[in-house]
Amino acid sequence: GCVLGVDIFAAVTRCQAAGAALDEITLDVISAGSEASLKAWAPNDDDVSFELLVRGLDMQRYNQQMSDLYDACKAYPTINWRYYVEPMVSLPSNGISFNKTEMLEMVQIGLTEAAAAEINTACGAAEAHRHSHGGPSSFTVV
């Protein structure tokens, strides 16, 4: 398995170093960030420097994750890209505070999303994001 933010290329290299051929490698890609987690910009609440910075960093991080995934898909087309899981709903927090209620809610979201995950969707998700032209729909102003 592989979590976005971890170098997929390094994971593949380690598998190859252990003697695996590319077509013997299976990757599960799990992301804690998703289009759903990108908060829409609300001018009345978010038109301040800090909120704009946080929103910009979130957008940049998600775009970079999807770009990295797209590049890995193109570099390794024969790998078994088994599962791609990202939350379809916004997570209640980033987990830094270790709030037990929020952590348990995020675990439940993860279990639900993992149970609904479809096989071989990673590269399709990256391709769709790359060719969306306007970015994720939640990049819009509300």
Side-chain angles (χ1 to χ4, degrees):
C2 181
V3 177
L4 276 180
V6 174
D7 188 349
I8 293 173
F9 291 91
V12 172
T13 300
R14 288 188 66 185
C15 290
Q16 288 177 305
L22 287 176
D23 61 355
E24 297 173 321
I25 299 172
T26 296
L27 286 179
D28 296 327
V29 183
I30 302 168
S31 175
S34 69
E35 182 177 332
S37 69
L38 296 172
K39 180 183 162 209
W41 184 68
N44 293 337
D45 299 325
D46 300 329
D47 198 11
V48 293
S49 297
F50 180 73
E51 292 297 326
L52 291 171
L53 171 66
V54 170
R55 178 176 164 74
L57 291 172
D58 287 345
M59 291 170 60
Q60 182 182 29
R61 185 175 19 254
Y62 182 71
N63 284 330
Q64 186 62 54
Q65 288 177 350
M66 295 308 286
S67 180
D68 290 348
L69 179 58
Y70 178 84
D71 290 344
C73 287
K74 292 300 176 192
Y76 303 117
T78 60
I79 283 178
N80 177 21
W81 294 92
R82 187 171 51 189
Y83 289 109
Y84 174 71
V85 180
E86 70 176 24
M88 293 291 121
V89 297
S90 185
L91 297 176
S93 78
N94 60 13
I96 292 176
S97 66
F98 292 100
N99 175 293
K100 182 178 179 179
T101 302
E102 291 175 344
M103 298 297 278
L104 290 172
E105 184 179 350
M106 289 189 286
V107 167
Q108 189 56 52
I109 290 169
L111 292 171
T112 301
E113 297 297 338
E118 297 179 13
I119 293 178
N120 297 323
T121 58
C123 296
E127 181 87 23
H129 180 75
R130 184 174 185 93
H131 296 293
S132 65
H133 300 293
S137 58
S138 59
F139 283 9
T140 58
V141 176
V142 293

